[in-house]
Amino acid sequence: MKAVICPDFAPVDALTSGDFPAPQAGPGELVINVAAAGVNYPDVLIVQGKYQTKPALPFVPGSEAAGHVAAVGEGVQGFAAGDRVAAFTGSGSFAEQVRVPATQAWPVPGAVDLHVAAGISITYGTSYHALKDRGQLKPGETLLVLGAGGGVGLTAVELGKLMGARVIAAASSAEKLALAKQQGADELIDYAREDLRERVKALTGGQGVDVVYDPVGGPMNLTAIKSLAWGGRLLVIGFAGGEIPSIPANLLLLKSASAVGVLWGNTVRADPAGQGANMRQLLDWLAQGKLRPVIDRRFAMPDIVAALHHLEARKVKGKVLLTIAPEA
Ligand SMILES: NC(=O)c1ccc[n+]([C@@H]2O[C@H](COP(=O)([O-])OP(=O)(O)OC[C@H]3O[C@@H](n4cnc5c(N)ncnc54)[C@H](OP(=O)(O)O)[C@@H]3O)[C@@H](O)[C@H]2O)c1
């Protein structure tokens, strides 16, 4: 089969496209004919060996996909060949076929475009798990989203609104903030030009925010902690800015606040029933038009290096997709 191949942990330019052995469905697994794959910031890190998990070399990267079931492994219930599914693959989705545990695949309703569904799992799955399960976000609470124009950030804005919160979107450009506004943000902060802490103070009458969603890390993380309200929750999502921040325990103590780690992929493996329910809810909302994913750009499979450079360049507004086969 045709695939993107990572021969060694190296900068993204070292990726090649070529033939790779097609996967077989083992017990409990599905093989999916991939229609499209979502491209995510962690893919940039995984191919360089800078992520928490390091696949055995050589490997096919790609953490999520949607397509049609091609083969059903022994013991799998509830799926049949030809079913439309979205899946969290961990790796392997930048290819014509991918193998995945059946517990990490979810049916895609007929009303949902399969290419759009390819980019749903990681961004919406992470944000919904973060806000609902880890952040305990309640209607009427205030949510501050950093990196609000990026892949996961934009979905946190949209889901925060759907969950009844007042959403403050913070990002580094007017363009990204316009997109956050389009996805429902109530207030906007341009942290490239405005003082984040002062603006949060002004927007919350000095009270601070109940929940911070931080996929950026670096020095802004400390500002965000200082911007928490009494009993606030800091959701540690990622470090796209490159720097892993240290969290001063005294600031948590003073606000009776919590810093809460979020690692969606491992949670799907540890709690497939809970995250499966979340994913079915998200796909239902998508079918009902309550979620409107923003697609930034679609790249063809041989253009994977350009797609990953696009993410590295901090240019992405919403989701990047790799198109593998026509939607059918
Ligand atoms: N914990 C989990 O389960 C989980 C799941 C998925 C992703 N993540 C993590 O979440 C982070 C964001 O992922 P994503 O796919 O949403 O990425 P993305 O679309 O590229 O968005 C990342 C945002 O971070 C900001 N940023 C600041 N400095 C940056 C830099 N030097 N390079 C790139 N972006 C920078 C940018 O917003 P501004 O320009 O507005 O600052 C950008 O929009 C990554 O660290 C990823 O590993 C975690």
Side-chain angles (χ1 to χ4, degrees):
M1 67 170 180
K2 297 271 177 288
V4 172
I5 301 162
C6 181
D8 209 347
F9 294 122
V12 300
D13 299 84
L15 291 175
T16 58
S17 293
D19 286 317
F20 201 82
Q24 305 294 316
E29 294 178 334
L30 301 175
V31 168
I32 299 168
N33 285 330
V34 179
V39 186
N40 295 277
Y41 198 85
D43 299 322
V44 173
L45 303 175
I46 290 168
V47 302
Q48 297 181 74
K50 293 181 179 172
Y51 200 63
Q52 293 97 320
T53 49
K54 290 188 179 59
L57 294 164
F59 70 97
V60 175
S63 316
E64 62 180 348
H68 294 94
V69 172
V72 179
E74 194 189 316
V76 173
Q77 306 281 332
F79 289 103
D83 283 358
R84 289 154 46 89
V85 290
F88 167 61
T89 59
S91 67
S93 70
F94 297 163
E96 290 176 321
Q97 290 196 323
V98 64
R99 179 175 59 178
V100 66
T103 49
Q104 293 174 206
W106 309 283
V108 175
V112 177
D113 181 305
L114 263 188
H115 285 187
V116 172
I120 293 301
S121 315
I122 292 183
T123 48
Y124 283 97
T126 297
S127 293
Y128 194 42
H129 167 57
L131 298 176
K132 169 179 163 272
D133 304 331
R134 306 294 289 142
Q136 304 283 310
L137 182 69
K138 295 172 199 66
E141 287 194 320
T142 304
L143 166 70
L144 169 65
V145 180
L146 306 180
V152 290
L154 209 48
T155 62
V157 169
E158 198 181 7
L159 285 167
K161 275 310 284 178
L162 196 58
M163 293 166 76
R166 177 187 182 214
V167 178
I168 303 175
S172 69
S173 74
E175 246 187 324
K176 288 180 182 177
L177 288 169
L179 205 52
K181 175 113 190 127
Q182 178 198 302
Q183 296 303 90
D186 298 289
E187 312 287 353
L188 307 174
I189 301 177
D190 183 340
Y191 49 56
R193 293 185 304 138
E194 299 177 291
D195 184 310
L196 180 64
R197 182 141 186 241
E198 289 308 316
R199 285 278 287 131
V200 170
K201 262 192 197 166
L203 289 170
T204 59
Q207 293 296 303
V209 296
D210 300 297
V211 176
V212 171
Y213 182 99
D214 182 9
V216 181
M220 216 161 30
N221 182 269
L222 181 59
T223 312
I225 295 172
K226 289 178 177 169
S227 302
L228 282 173
W230 177 258
R233 288 86 76 199
L234 167 76
L235 297 171
V236 180
I237 307 295
F239 317 107
E243 204 183 308
I244 299 177
S246 295
I247 296 176
N250 62 320
L251 295 184
L252 299 179
L253 180 150
L254 286 170
K255 298 265 181 73
S256 191
S258 322
V260 187
V262 177
L263 194 57
W264 181 73
N266 284 33
T267 310
V268 174
R269 294 183 187 103
D271 177 21
Q275 293 310 306
N278 279 2
M279 284 307 303
R280 277 186 282 279
Q281 172 68 82
L282 290 166
L283 286 158
D284 274 356
W285 278 335
L286 199 60
Q288 293 162 20
K290 290 185 177 171
L291 295 175
R292 290 165 293 117
V294 174
I295 310 296
D296 176 282
R297 277 180 70 179
R298 297 168 197 248
F299 292 83
M301 188 158 59
D303 299 327
I304 182 63
V305 172
L308 293 173
H309 278 319
H310 189 55
L311 279 149
E312 279 182 312
R314 204 173 169 174
K315 285 181 188 157
V316 174
K317 297 181 291 299
K319 193 77 207 182
V320 173
L321 297 177
L322 200 65
T323 303
I324 314 276
E327 154 78 4

